[in-house]
Amino acid sequence: MECIITIELGTNAVRVYAFDLNGNIIGSLKGYCPTFHSEPDYSEQDADQIFITMLYVLKNLLNDVLHPKKIKVRCICFSSSMHSVLAVDKRGNPMGHAIIWADNRANKEAAELKSSSLGKSIYNATGTPLHPMSPLTKIAWIKNQENEKFKQVSKFLSLKAYILQQLTGEYVIDYSIASATGLLNIHKIKWEAESLKFAGITAAMLPELVPVDTKVGKLNKAYQASLGLSADTIILAGSSDGCMAVLGDGVTGEGVATITVEDSGAVRVVSDKVMQDDKQRFFNYLLTENKYVSGGPTNNGGVIFEWFTRQFGDFKNPFDIEHTMLELINEASKVPAGSDGLLFLPYLLGERAPIWNANARGVYFGLNIKHEKSHFVRATIEGILYELYSIGKTLEEHRTINSLSINGSFGTLPFFTQMVADIYNKPVRLRQQYHSVSYGAYLLSATEMGIYKSLDEAAKSVVLPDLATPDKQNNKTYLKYFKIFERLSTKLASEFADIAALQHE
Amino acid sequence: MNQFVLSHTTASELRLFPHIIEIGAIKNTAIRLNGFPLSAERSLRLYYIQEGKFEWSINERRFTLFPGDVALVLPGVEFGNESAVLEIGSFSWICLEISKNEKGELEPGAWSSLTQVESYAIDKILQTDQSPVLQKFTDAGVILKSIQTELFKQELGFQTRVNHLIDEILIQLCRQFTRMLNPGRDFPKTFMKLEQELRQNLSHQWTVEEMAALVGLGTTLFNEKVKSYSGFSPLNYLINIRISEAIKLLKMPDISLTDIALDTGFYSSQHFSTTFKKLTGYTPSQFRKNHLGTN
């Protein structure tokens, strides 16, 4: 028997899945990796620890599940979070930790660039919103703030590029990850000169650009031996988690939007055209040469419901957050749609799309004397999903959305899925069993191995079995409240700025 | 409550307990100027409030203590009322001689039945930077009362009982501290704190019991939570950190392999070498050569 392994380098964990050639999961393991915050605005990860964790988890999966059954690994395909930056010296050794997507140190660089005409031109060329998440602004920050280190940097890698280099010796970056750096011209698929100039680097300081289905060299001999893998194991460059999630849900064309609700969230659509948005609200990332994944990210996904649960949930057993959350959801389900007029703006972590306001803060609005705790629970969930709807609604200014697919640990909770269907008034498809990101990596591998003729054919094979159909009555209620939600989200801008300034004191 | 003070220099009741520097109880009915000045002592001090309200300063931080609250003052830490005033109310206290070993760890003496692993965890918990005041910790009052009774009555087995009760109060104190610091709601945060502690003392031969004690869980639940959160058993997670740190050190040319092995908590350079090779496919010296070469 043969299998395909997918490795997802996520923010909190490395997740390794083994699929049989038909796409059934035959094993999976994960390993946690910490994020370090040495300063309030900093979010960093240790590239070597991610590498070791990846090896450890992979080795355990091979030794515990695959080798005993003599299952041969044909292909290993990678996916990872976007926007990470790792500086390495001339020997390829990391110079400190990797700066990850959640890091906001480049706030000033991003704000200045965004308000300039250069910024507009860079956004149009690269499709990456001008935000401290963007590696473009992070590298500029290193140039401005740590110039001595900057001068010693030989290359700026992504975390995935580092892992691939450790395994194979090759420096490569796939189109998807590259298109989320703010450094890639997504129309020409070449490094963008204006970006390079702004960051103060040359193209030689970046890894080689490759399509997502590129076979990256050979696995180093030492790893062949220690892992028990053969020399002909295909190592695929792979893509970003966002693009893989869309592919894994079988979406490679227009008409369907994919909603992800993990800790953070996103709404994404696919097209062969770049989405040109004058207000610079959306990202455009490359899945392949002619497929753009466009959409908007939110900071405030499931993490906000987790926050609520920790503060107000009734923990029957220590640290049993899953059970506590389910009890709260049960409470929320007893309150009618619209929470009897209690609204929640979920901006506890500031917000990205569509308002792009780092100063935005959380608000409960419309409280009256009849509201009970259960109204707060429901309003909190509704607020998180109104925010995802506000992204989808703005996307509809550019694209037609007929139906939705949903994934992510929170999005696939039945209560969340149904609410998304009701708020959007569109049918929602999902698959409970596993991670769309890893399934996307399976489809990419299977296509590369000739099991499918093309990615489109691979995507067409995806069947999302479960369906939530919208409740028209609930939809009407939600839309009435959403209008107020939407107005509040921009109306409070000056108060958000004032309160954020006080909180920073 | 009866007032009393027993001091190891004078009290015959403490003859068998050289580690009890002082034990006492006071009921103060009028404000006494200069009755409670700031001072730093060599002993570990524990105060339990029975009545009244006390404004005390511990390590230059001001606290208000109410009945049922406990103040814990580590050796060498300045403690007292900032204006030296003894306020109205009653409290009891005990001062224990708990010396620091050469590593700066608090170590109860031979009188204690705590195992080495337990003492290590207790030291770590007491020494973490935290609020030295425990609220509503009435168990402490009950135990102090029992110690007093044993000391005064001197019935059969009182020596053993007193020493056990001191162990008991240390154990309950630490359990209370960890519960306060890890209220059982936020495992990611609790795990992050634990991971920092592990990294700071990577050369220590950590046991699962010690790790579980630091986060205030029993070992069974701790194993289960760590496994489901991190994907690793606690000890395997530790190996993961050890190798990751070792990799960084291997890229610095001036540290010997033996030092790296010991600094990162391996028993020996052989143990380091086999574990490292099993995971990475390279021996530490091969790995070092690959990464320090000029290519």
Side-chain angles (χ1 to χ4, degrees):
Chain A
M1 190 177 158
E2 297 182 317
C3 80
I4 290 166
I5 284 182
T6 67
I7 298 180
E8 187 191 337
L9 308 166
T11 308
N12 297 317
V14 176
R15 290 189 166 79
V16 183
Y17 287 82
F19 291 88
D20 68 17
L21 298 188
N22 300 317
N24 303 305
I25 290 193
I26 49 179
S28 73
L29 279 179
K30 70 162 182 183
Y32 162 88
C33 276
T35 301
F36 304 102
H37 307 280
S38 57
E39 305 273 339
D41 272 343
Y42 287 20
S43 291
E44 299 182 339
Q45 289 196 304
D46 176 352
D48 282 320
Q49 188 173 3
I50 291 180
F51 180 63
I52 287 301
T53 304
M54 189 275 299
L55 277 185
Y56 209 145
V57 174
L58 177 59
K59 197 179 161 75
N60 284 347
L61 185 70
L62 288 165
N63 288 347
D64 297 350
V65 181
L66 303 177
H67 291 332
K69 293 187 193 152
K70 304 226 178 331
I71 298 172
K72 181 183 160 61
V73 178
R74 286 277 306 276
C75 177
I76 300 178
C77 180
F78 285 83
S79 70
S80 84
S81 317
M82 295 178 277
H83 313 306
S84 60
V85 171
L86 177 70
V88 298
D89 64 16
K90 61 181 191 298
R91 294 191 180 100
N93 293 332
M95 300 167 69
H97 288 161
I99 306 174
I100 67 162
W101 64 272
D103 191 291
N104 281 320
R105 75 186 68 185
N107 233 321
K108 199 168 129 252
E109 280 75 9
E112 281 173 13
L113 188 57
K114 192 167 181 175
S115 60
S116 70
S117 61
L118 175 66
K120 195 171 172 58
S121 146
I122 287 183
Y123 171 74
N124 286 336
T126 65
T128 307
L130 300 164
H131 184 270
M133 70 183 182
S134 167
L136 165 73
T137 61
K138 289 176 166 125
I139 297 173
W141 182 92
I142 299 174
K143 179 188 68 177
N144 296 339
Q145 303 297 322
E146 295 184 341
N147 198 254
E148 280 312 303
K149 170 180 166 179
F150 183 77
K151 286 183 198 154
Q152 303 297 316
V153 175
S154 166
K155 278 187 192 305
F156 286 101
L157 308 179
S158 70
L159 276 170
K160 190 169 77 168
Y162 179 70
I163 301 297
L164 286 170
Q165 191 273 333
Q166 292 294 299
L167 288 174
T168 68
E170 309 280 335
Y171 285 109
V172 294
I173 185 166
D174 67 81
Y175 290 172
S176 304
I177 294 283
S179 64
T181 59
L183 297 160
L184 184 78
N185 185 311
I186 55 171
H187 311 274
K188 300 177 190 158
I189 318 190
K190 278 186 184 153
W191 297 118
E192 168 60 36
E194 281 188 324
S195 295
L196 295 177
K197 196 174 155 209
F198 178 79
I201 59 171
T202 61
M205 293 172 75
L206 296 167
E208 184 195 345
L209 261 174
V210 298
V212 293
D213 56 2
T214 301
K215 295 173 184 165
V216 188
K218 268 200 172 35
L219 193 60
N220 279 352
K221 283 223 169 67
Y223 298 120
Q224 290 176 25
S226 67
L227 296 168
L229 293 171
S230 67
D232 62 355
T233 310
I234 301 167
I235 308 289
L236 273 194
S239 175
S240 64
D241 51 5
C243 289
M244 285 295 201
V246 172
L247 176 62
D249 276 2
V251 181
T252 52
E254 295 194 16
V256 187
T258 302
I259 297 178
T260 301
V261 198
E262 291 280 357
D263 282 354
S264 57
V267 185
R268 303 180 177 96
V269 292
V270 183
S271 167
D272 54 7
K273 292 185 288 291
V274 173
M275 188 181 287
Q276 298 285 2
D277 185 62
D278 291 340
K279 295 178 192 157
Q280 305 187 20
R281 288 172 299 185
F282 303 117
F283 56 71
N284 286 281
Y285 301 141
L286 279 167
L287 174 57
T288 63
E289 287 86 340
N290 52 12
K291 276 192 206 307
Y292 295 94
V293 175
S294 310
T298 166
N299 293 342
N300 303 292
V303 68
I304 302 302
F305 187 53
E306 268 188 20
W307 164 82
F308 185 92
T309 306
R310 283 194 187 108
Q311 308 309 318
F312 308 112
D314 179 15
F315 281 69
K316 299 247 159 55
N317 299 303
F319 300 118
D320 190 359
I321 194 161
E322 284 80 13
H323 183 74
T324 314
M325 272 200 252
L326 291 178
E327 283 198 334
L328 284 179
I329 289 174
N330 189 28
E331 244 181 278
S333 68
K334 294 179 179 134
V335 176
S339 301
D340 291 327
L342 180 59
L343 267 176
F344 174 58
L345 307 191
Y347 307 134
L348 274 67
L349 294 166
E351 190 51 296
R352 288 186 284 170
I355 59 171
W356 294 95
N357 183 355
N359 292 326
R361 292 294 181 267
V363 178
Y364 286 95
F365 183 79
L367 254 182
N368 69 42
I369 199 80
K370 287 187 179 156
H371 286 133
E372 295 174 3
K373 182 185 153 203
S374 50
H375 290 93
F376 278 89
V377 185
R378 183 163 188 124
T380 303
I381 300 172
E382 287 177 351
I384 295 166
L385 299 182
Y386 284 148
E387 179 56 20
L388 282 157
Y389 177 59
S390 74
I391 300 172
K393 191 165 164 274
T394 21
L395 283 172
E396 281 187 300
E397 293 170 17
H398 300 269
R399 299 279 187 273
T400 309
I401 300 172
N402 302 317
S403 67
L404 308 166
S405 76
I406 198 162
N407 55 53
S409 48
F410 289 92
T412 50
L413 293 170
F415 188 72
F416 278 61
T417 310
Q418 184 59 47
M419 199 183 277
V420 167
D422 293 353
I423 295 176
Y424 270 83
N425 199 25
K426 295 184 201 306
V428 182
R429 292 212 163 268
L430 82 155
R431 165 180 43 208
Q432 288 280 6
Q433 302 94 316
Y434 43 87
H435 234 217
S436 297
V437 176
S438 298
Y439 198 71
Y442 156 76
L443 289 176
L444 187 66
S445 310
T447 307
E448 181 55 28
M449 289 163 57
I451 297 168
Y452 299 105
K453 287 198 195 74
S454 65
L455 266 191
D456 282 322
E457 192 195 288
K460 282 203 185 79
S461 73
V462 174
V463 182
L464 298 180
D466 299 317
L467 178 73
T469 46
D471 177 313
K472 301 264 179 272
Q473 204 53 47
N474 284 351
N475 175 253
K476 276 189 194 146
T477 311
Y478 286 136
L479 287 191
K480 279 187 237 162
Y481 289 118
F482 176 75
K483 282 191 185 127
I484 305 173
F485 175 97
E486 201 179 21
R487 291 214 304 274
L488 285 175
S489 70
T490 51
K491 203 170 208 167
L492 293 174
S494 64
E495 286 75 18
F496 282 151
D498 289 349
I499 199 88
L502 285 177
Q503 289 176 0
H504 278 133
E505 270 176 14
Chain B
M1 183 198 66
N2 295 322
Q3 298 195 71
F4 73 95
V5 180
L6 301 178
S7 168
H8 74 300
T9 45
T10 51
S12 62
E13 290 88 343
L14 295 182
R15 195 174 43 84
L16 290 168
F17 308 98
H19 48 289
I20 304 181
I21 306 293
E22 192 175 284
I23 181 164
I26 187 167
K27 190 179 174 73
N28 188 37
T29 50
I31 285 184
R32 271 164 40 198
L33 300 174
N34 285 320
F36 209 68
L38 289 170
S39 74
E41 305 281 346
R42 279 185 52 219
S43 56
L44 180 135
R45 295 181 278 176
L46 200 105
Y47 288 77
Y48 175 76
I49 311 295
Q50 261 130 358
E51 292 166 9
K53 178 183 150 198
F54 293 87
E55 301 275 345
W56 283 342
S57 158
I58 308 172
N59 215 2
E60 297 180 355
R61 286 164 69 196
R62 205 182 296 166
F63 297 90
T64 306
L65 287 93
F66 296 96
D69 293 355
V70 166
L72 171 78
V73 186
L74 293 181
V77 165
E78 196 177 56
F79 167 72
N81 178 280
E82 277 177 0
S83 322
V85 172
L86 180 62
E87 291 143 300
I88 296 171
S90 59
F91 58 86
S92 50
W93 72 93
I94 189 166
C95 304
L96 297 169
E97 166 84 45
I98 294 187
S99 50
K100 290 192 176 185
N101 63 17
E102 69 280 7
K103 286 186 202 150
E105 294 158 359
L106 294 170
E107 222 174 41
W111 55 269
S112 169
S113 329
L114 293 168
T115 66
Q116 209 178 350
V117 163
E118 287 165 347
S119 307
Y120 184 81
I122 285 175
D123 165 71
K124 282 277 161 241
I125 293 164
L126 292 181
Q127 301 225 43
T128 42
D129 181 34
Q130 63 201 353
S131 164
V133 172
L134 285 166
Q135 283 161 0
K136 294 280 164 218
F137 182 32
T138 47
D139 283 0
V142 175
I143 301 172
L144 275 180
K145 184 84 193 131
S146 306
I147 296 176
Q148 293 161 18
T149 312
E150 291 289 343
L151 282 174
F152 285 119
K153 289 195 174 160
Q154 308 208 344
E155 287 182 62
L156 171 68
F158 81 99
Q159 186 179 2
T160 307
R161 284 273 290 145
V162 167
N163 286 337
H164 280 179
L165 285 163
I166 298 174
D167 281 343
E168 173 80 9
I169 207 165
L170 289 174
I171 291 168
Q172 294 301 344
L173 197 71
C174 288
R175 286 189 182 177
Q176 191 77 7
F177 264 130
T178 50
R179 271 185 219 124
M180 189 175 79
L181 292 171
N182 306 287
R185 287 173 176 263
D186 194 342
F187 195 75
K189 199 165 144 193
T190 298
F191 191 75
M192 193 149 52
K193 277 195 286 187
L194 172 68
E195 130 124 9
Q196 275 170 8
E197 192 63 42
L198 298 178
R199 280 176 193 276
Q200 275 163 22
N201 297 285
L202 209 51
S203 61
H204 178 68
Q205 298 299 321
W206 287 93
T207 65
V208 178
E209 288 77 11
E210 284 165 359
M211 292 190 241
L214 285 194
V215 304
L217 290 177
T219 50
T220 314
L221 188 58
F222 176 72
N223 266 317
E224 196 182 293
K225 288 287 160 197
V226 171
K227 179 82 191 162
S228 82
Y229 181 70
S230 78
F232 294 106
S233 72
L235 290 177
N236 282 345
Y237 188 76
L238 193 58
I239 293 178
N240 190 349
I241 307 182
R242 291 196 159 127
I243 299 275
S244 307
E245 286 305 311
I247 281 187
K248 271 184 214 51
L249 298 175
L250 284 170
K251 289 173 184 170
M252 301 175 186
D254 303 330
I255 313 176
S256 79
L257 294 183
T258 313
D259 285 347
I260 294 177
L262 298 179
D263 283 355
T264 53
F266 292 95
Y267 305 114
S268 63
S269 48
Q270 283 82 358
H271 178 219
F272 172 44
S273 188
T274 20
T275 314
F276 193 87
K277 177 150 191 201
K278 240 197 261 170
L279 199 55
T280 68
Y282 297 98
T283 64
S285 48
Q286 281 168 334
F287 184 91
R288 171 170 263 185
K289 218 158 88 193
N290 293 345
H291 285 83
L292 288 177
T294 39
N295 305 324

